[in-house]
Amino acid sequence: MDLATIWFLLIGVLLVGYAILDGFDLGAGILHLFVARDDTERRTVLNAIAPVWDGNEVWLLTAGGALFAAFPPVYATVFSGFYLALMLLLVALILRAVSLEFRSKVEAPAWRATWDVIFAIGSFLPALLLGVAVGNVLRGVPLDAAGDYRDGLLGLLNPFALLVGLLAVAMFTLQGASWLVLKTEGAIAERSRTAARLGWPVFAVLWIAATLFSSQDAPGLWDNFANPLAWLVPIAFAVVAVAYPLALRTRRELLAFLLSSGSIAGLIGIMGVSLYPNLVPALGGASPSLTVGNASSSDLTLTVMLAVALIGMPIVIAYTAFIYSRFRGKVRAEGHGY
Amino acid sequence: MLTAQATSTAVSATDIAISLGLLVAVYAVLGLLWLFLVVREISHGPAPAPAGVVEEETLPLPSAGPLLRPAGGPMAGSGR
């Protein structure tokens, strides 16, 4: 396996880590207006993500940094071409973080209700925008002769990308519901369980719709499935996704959360299998697609990065596991917290 | 490489203006809210100390110690 392919996989791992970990943060934010009815319940939901939400967002920064170093032309094309969408994402993440901090500063109900709405919007928008961005990458983007995308924000809002955007919202909402079932108790946990039970068929329908749509709008995504081994990933995804509602029904909360996380990993795995060796498929023929072959850094750069990753990743995984074990168990709106 | 040569050709001036305006607006609002919270905090004053906690001003001064030596004593002109 060549170095560029190893980095294709490692960036995929970082994206999976981000989607699983920040996915439940964003999902809890999207859901909290519905599963938490009063101030104490909303504080409980916030406390369920309080110790970890900001650390979880670092996975996205790391994936962006790794993309910049390993595949600079891809970083340049995506971050310039999707500029306004990414700025909107940034503003949403800023408002989300501020709403968490500002909410508890004043006890007035109107103040807190306003920040609750901002928190929900600030959680929904990143999920949608990330999904739309991924949808466009999967579909392919029209690149000019210089390898740039110039159709702006409106050019990104095509039906397939919007469908993938909704799929991302459903996926993160399901993950958030699974986390809240695991971390809360009483009425919040029951409402979250209901949200997960209702959310799962929506997620499944959106995934089937996006898959069917892709055969029309992005037929190149099916090329790799000529190899029978490629089917292992969607089969694993289907098994995990089908087992999820069973775990939920039998009240195996940790298993349900792990299965929800597994379905996220499976879905991103399917996208990776579909894309490889492309990173940004080009539409229109003015420029070649950006691939692991023509868009990677030098072997020296990739080797140094790999050495850093091999040292750094175990440390990151170890302290992440430590933090989650320290904060295991159910949370309440008591003592320290939001 | 000059700054003018290093700008992204794929990002239009309109996009830059929109994003700049967005960030200025967001941070202006957040700045005003921060000011509101600080003024509010100052006007409320410090919270009363919990029962049983003795405030610093009421503690008796130490009867003797190296920091209370008279000027010109061994601590003076220590070079610090």
Side-chain angles (χ1 to χ4, degrees):
Chain A
M1 188 183 293
D2 61 300
L3 279 164
T5 300
I6 290 172
W7 271 102
F8 180 88
L9 290 172
L10 283 179
I11 290 172
V13 169
L14 289 170
L15 290 175
V16 167
Y18 172 74
I20 287 174
L21 296 177
D22 208 36
F24 71 71
D25 288 352
L26 296 173
I30 293 167
L31 277 175
H32 90 298
L33 289 179
F34 309 103
V35 300
R37 303 273 166 83
D38 58 29
D39 187 58
T40 305
E41 289 186 352
R42 288 191 180 164
R43 286 179 53 226
T44 305
V45 171
L46 297 183
N47 286 340
I49 61 170
V52 292
W53 71 268
D54 43 2
N56 292 344
E57 289 188 351
V58 176
W59 286 76
L60 184 62
L61 298 180
T62 313
L67 188 68
F68 167 70
F71 303 105
V74 176
Y75 182 89
T77 297
V78 172
F79 279 68
S80 295
F82 298 0
Y83 176 76
L84 267 188
L86 292 175
M87 290 304 290
L88 280 174
L89 172 71
L90 183 64
V91 168
L93 289 177
I94 290 170
L95 290 176
R96 183 172 185 272
V98 169
S99 64
L100 273 166
E101 297 299 331
F102 272 21
R103 183 188 189 278
S104 58
K105 303 294 182 201
V106 178
E107 287 190 14
W111 172 274
R112 293 194 168 184
T114 304
W115 287 114
D116 286 343
V117 171
I118 293 173
F119 182 59
I121 295 170
S123 302
F124 172 82
L125 262 185
L128 181 70
L129 289 168
L130 285 169
V132 168
V134 168
N136 276 286
V137 169
L138 288 171
R139 177 176 177 262
V141 290
L143 301 179
D144 65 12
D148 289 328
Y149 167 77
R150 293 178 186 278
D151 287 354
L153 180 63
L154 293 179
L156 298 176
L157 303 180
N158 55 77
F160 177 71
L162 287 170
L163 188 58
V164 177
L166 291 177
L167 177 61
V169 171
M171 181 175 83
F172 289 156
T173 306
L174 201 60
Q175 179 77 342
S178 308
W179 180 253
L180 291 177
V181 169
L182 181 66
K183 295 296 287 181
T184 64
E185 52 197 355
I188 306 173
E190 284 312 310
R191 289 187 208 116
S192 301
R193 196 183 306 278
T194 304
R197 216 169 36 235
L198 298 175
W200 184 84
V202 174
F203 169 70
V205 166
L206 285 169
W207 175 65
I208 292 167
T211 304
L212 294 176
F213 207 139
S214 72
S215 63
Q216 301 295 316
D217 217 34
L221 292 177
W222 291 82
D223 292 351
N224 284 339
F225 290 99
N227 183 341
L229 282 178
W231 286 94
L232 289 176
V233 181
I235 288 170
F237 165 75
V239 169
V240 167
V242 167
Y244 174 77
L246 301 176
L248 203 64
R249 196 174 303 146
T250 52
R251 295 187 171 262
R252 280 180 275 189
E253 298 162 353
L254 179 60
L255 179 64
F257 177 72
L258 292 175
L259 288 170
S260 173
S261 304
S263 66
I264 290 177
L267 199 51
I268 294 176
I270 293 171
M271 292 173 186
V273 169
S274 305
L275 268 179
Y276 186 82
N278 291 321
L279 287 155
V280 181
L283 297 177
S287 175
S289 298
L290 297 172
T291 68
V292 292
N294 66 16
S296 65
S297 295
S298 68
D299 276 359
L300 176 62
T301 302
L302 297 178
T303 305
V304 171
M305 285 174 62
L306 188 60
V308 172
L310 288 175
I311 297 167
M313 284 296 276
I315 297 172
V316 172
I317 290 168
Y319 76 63
T320 303
F322 172 73
I323 288 168
Y324 278 84
S325 71
R326 291 289 291 177
F327 289 104
R328 68 184 178 276
K330 303 282 185 184
V331 295
R332 298 183 184 88
E334 295 169 352
H336 296 292
Y338 290 112
Chain B
M1 179 182 280
L2 299 174
T3 305
Q5 295 168 323
T7 54
S8 172
T9 55
V11 181
S12 68
T14 310
D15 286 354
I16 298 288
I18 290 171
S19 60
L20 190 61
L22 199 60
L23 286 176
V24 167
V26 166
Y27 277 102
V29 171
L30 293 181
L32 288 173
L33 287 172
W34 174 82
L35 206 60
F36 161 72
L37 289 173
V38 169
V39 169
R40 186 174 174 276
E41 201 69 24
I42 292 169
S43 64
H44 281 189
V53 175
V54 181
E55 291 189 23
E56 199 177 333
E57 296 84 48
T58 63
L59 290 171
L61 287 169
S63 55
L67 294 175
L68 293 176
R69 291 177 197 276
M75 290 293 286
S78 62
R80 288 179 182 266

